[in-house]
Amino acid sequence: MAVETVIILAAGDGTRMKSRQAKVLHSVAGRSLLGHVLAAVNHVNPHNIRIVVGANRTSVEAHIADISPSTTTVFQEVRGGTGHATQLALADRAPAGTVLVLAGDTPMLTGQSLEAFLAAHNEGNFAASVLTAEHPEPTGYGRIIRDDNDELLRIVEERDATEDQKFIAEINSGVYAFDGAKLVSAIGQINNSNAQGELYLTDVIGILKSAGESIAAIMLEDFTEILGVNDRVQLAESAALLRDRINDQWMRDGVTIVDPTTTWIDATVVLANDVTIHPGSAILGTTTIATGAVIGPRTTLTNCVVKEGASVLESLAVDTIIGESATVGPFTYLRSGTVLGDSSKAGAFVEMKNATVGTGSKVPHLSYVGDATIGEGSNIGAATIFVNYDGVDKHHTTVGDHVRIGSDTMLVAPVSIGDGAYTAAGSVITENVPAGAIGVGRAKQRNVIGWVLRKRAGSKSAQAAEASQTKG
Ligand code: UD1
Ligand code: CA
């Protein structure tokens, strides 16, 4: 399957979004609305794609350059309607072959449905085909008018429809396939004598029909695929529908999703079979998760790589690699550049950033590990802080293999702890500790005998101390 030209209409003001951002840049399931449409369109291998932009032109063009660099944009300065936008997209070059036209605000549309639609269009050798569906609440959409033989006559917009026509449940999806040459000749004949005073692309259908061309309305089974996003309510509806579609697919592919209604997986995520995801989790961006891994509950992973058999409990991780059989959480925050080796551990209330933890090394409790390299088989005692920031610059800490960092150590970077070395609990380590040494960086303890009896005489503490003395 291949199609010559695709025109995506995305110039609209998106007024009902009440947003500073262009409507087509709002995102669901990890892609912009336009990104979803482009993903579906790419499924049918277009030779060229032209996107009509207008409102928020600069940011929309920057986004297109980012996600689909080979795509051309056409600028529509004033919104003259979908017919006007299509005229502009055709102006510089009349396309040969099939032209697919669709809107940039229908994120649910699948590549498979586009493929089937184009196949039906090509097979019937139609001058024009329109993708339709029966919608339980058709208000707002263009209605499909058929004749007594059930053949497509034309499309009537909601605001131009008679009371009787408003009862028609079959709606125009806004997805069309045209014979390029016939589209070019018909698009020059549309006018703006309608309720909105706009040039309607939909009028091309009636014009071609009157000219005796064969046109077709091709109906889609699942009307949810053509839902357009015009406001934030529809944005949330399409996000929920996409969530269900994505989760269903992963469950069919062997992923256990304990509660699909509270599990949000972006369209861009890749999961292996026998991954388990517990409730309240979000798996986002380019995250990939290998078989046997257990995620959640209440875990968010953004752009992470999770290897086989790892587990991540009640945690947040961004741009992080989690090694095979590594364990994370609960309540762990892994920031950009964290690499956890195989069988390593980032335990409760641990934060890491730009840190590499070697195979089998453990940071079990209450630590901050920033800008660090930790070797293999080392243990970082509870409440250890990697002091990476001197108030101006960030510095690196290196910890070797099989090191034992005592609890509550401050490792003041830049500093390095040699292989097999120890640090004493409570140390402030400002100088390198050689391999096999113990670094002790703290004041020697002294006990002032009788201090409580003298300074806190009569207190419960003093009484307890006295009782303890008489006990001998
Ligand atoms: C349009 C169809 C309607 C169909 C519905 C499906 C027309 C006249 N009506 O209505 O039959 O049921 O889509 O969702 O085509 N756009 C431009 N330039 C413009 C106007 C619009 O690029 O001057 C773009 C918009 O950004 C949007 C798309 O075209 O992506 C559709 O425009 P919109 O105003 O949303 O049309 P609807 O009223 O939804
Ligand atoms: Ca619309």
Side-chain angles (χ1 to χ4, degrees):
M1 168 71 59
V3 59
E4 191 54 39
T5 301
V6 174
I7 297 171
I8 302 176
L9 307 180
D13 297 301
T15 321
R16 286 167 283 175
M17 293 297 281
K18 301 191 176 155
S19 178
R20 287 183 301 175
Q21 197 185 30
K23 176 170 82 173
V24 291
L25 299 191
H26 282 264
S27 69
V28 284
R31 282 194 189 119
S32 64
L33 300 181
L34 185 58
H36 283 284
V37 173
L38 276 166
V41 158
N42 281 324
H43 184 80
V44 296
N45 304 312
H47 290 151
N48 73 88
I49 303 174
R50 301 175 193 177
I51 304 182
V52 183
V53 300
N56 296 83
R57 176 192 185 181
T58 316
S59 57
V60 176
E61 284 185 338
H63 179 63
I64 292 166
D66 186 29
I67 64 169
S68 185
S70 64
T71 298
T72 344
T73 59
V74 177
F75 180 47
Q76 185 190 29
E77 198 164 357
V78 268
R79 252 57 79 206
T82 50
H84 178 245
T86 309
Q87 283 176 346
L88 292 176
L90 295 167
D92 60 327
R93 194 151 42 102
T98 302
V99 180
L100 177 70
V101 183
L102 71 174
D105 64 353
T106 53
M108 303 290 297
L109 192 67
T110 64
Q112 288 74 13
S113 293
L114 279 183
E115 188 177 358
F117 171 65
L118 284 168
H121 169 77
N122 291 340
E123 201 173 306
N125 210 12
F126 301 115
S129 302
V130 51
L131 184 66
T132 71
E134 298 212 70
H135 198 301
E137 291 166 33
T139 306
Y141 288 94
R143 305 300 205 287
I144 299 299
I145 312 295
R146 292 176 183 263
D147 65 14
D148 295 339
N149 300 323
D150 224 23
E151 284 186 13
L152 174 60
L153 277 182
R154 61 199 160 90
I155 300 169
V156 175
E157 289 305 295
E158 170 86 23
R159 287 165 68 176
D160 303 296
T162 64
E163 287 312 308
D164 281 352
Q165 286 169 338
K166 285 182 184 166
F167 282 104
I168 298 171
E170 189 181 4
I171 59 147
N172 167 25
S173 70
V175 178
Y176 320 82
F178 297 100
D179 173 279
K182 288 174 181 165
L183 170 62
V184 169
S185 87
I187 197 97
Q189 298 172 47
I190 58 176
N191 65 57
N192 65 356
S193 52
N194 53 55
Q196 302 186 71
E198 287 184 354
L199 296 175
Y200 289 169
L201 175 58
T202 44
D203 286 351
V204 166
I205 299 295
I207 290 168
L208 288 171
K209 177 70 180 180
S210 306
E213 298 289 352
S214 68
I215 56 171
I218 296 167
M219 215 196 286
L220 194 66
E221 289 261 315
D222 176 8
F223 78 93
T224 65
E225 274 201 38
I226 61 175
L227 294 179
V229 173
N230 296 307
D231 59 29
R232 311 274 181 148
V233 174
Q234 289 171 326
L235 187 71
E237 281 168 1
S238 65
L241 287 164
L242 273 171
R243 177 200 64 206
D244 292 345
R245 185 199 284 171
I246 290 167
N247 288 349
D248 284 1
Q249 189 56 54
W250 286 123
M251 290 188 281
R252 289 182 206 294
D253 287 347
V255 172
T256 296
I257 299 177
V258 175
D259 179 10
T261 61
T262 63
T263 301
W264 295 81
I265 303 172
D266 278 352
T268 41
V269 163
V270 178
L271 305 176
N273 67 324
D274 286 324
V275 165
T276 300
I277 304 174
H278 289 287
S281 296
I283 317 294
L284 309 177
T286 59
T287 297
T288 62
I289 306 181
T291 192
V294 179
I295 309 300
R298 291 169 293 280
T299 290
T300 300
L301 303 177
T302 306
N303 304 333
C304 291
V305 175
V306 181
K307 297 189 182 167
E308 213 173 308
S311 75
V312 187
L313 173 68
E314 301 253 14
S315 291
L316 184 58
V318 183
D319 298 328
T320 287
I321 299 173
I322 299 172
E324 221 176 285
S325 304
T327 63
V328 175
F331 316 116
T332 304
Y333 181 26
L334 302 178
R335 293 158 55 196
S336 195
T338 299
V339 180
L340 296 181
D342 296 348
S343 303
S344 68
K345 179 182 176 100
F349 303 104
V350 168
E351 176 177 347
M352 293 192 184
K353 180 215 76 170
N354 188 28
T356 300
V357 179
T359 305
S361 287
K362 295 184 165 45
V363 187
H365 330 273
L366 301 157
S367 287
Y368 173 63
V369 183
D371 300 305
T373 310
I374 300 173
E376 298 184 359
S378 290
N379 191 78
I380 310 300
T384 292
I385 304 296
F386 285 61
V387 183
N388 62 329
Y389 185 45
D390 60 14
V392 180
D393 295 312
K394 301 283 168 67
H395 302 281
H396 196 86
T397 297
T398 304
V399 173
D401 297 338
H402 300 286
V403 166
R404 297 286 175 266
I405 299 292
S407 290
D408 207 19
T409 297
M410 302 288 133
L411 295 168
V412 182
V415 74
S416 132
I417 313 297
D419 291 341
Y422 278 53
T423 68
S427 288
V428 178
I429 300 294
T430 54
E431 282 166 33
N432 294 347
V433 180
I438 182 167
V440 185
R442 64 183 188 209
K444 191 167 166 50
Q445 182 176 334
R446 70 191 174 104
N447 295 335
V448 181
I449 303 301
W451 186 91
V452 174
L453 299 178
R454 291 196 304 281
K455 300 285 193 186
R456 299 288 185 268
S459 69
K460 285 207 164 129
S461 300
Q463 286 163 18
E466 269 165 335
S468 141
Q469 277 172 358
T470 51
K471 268 186 244 154

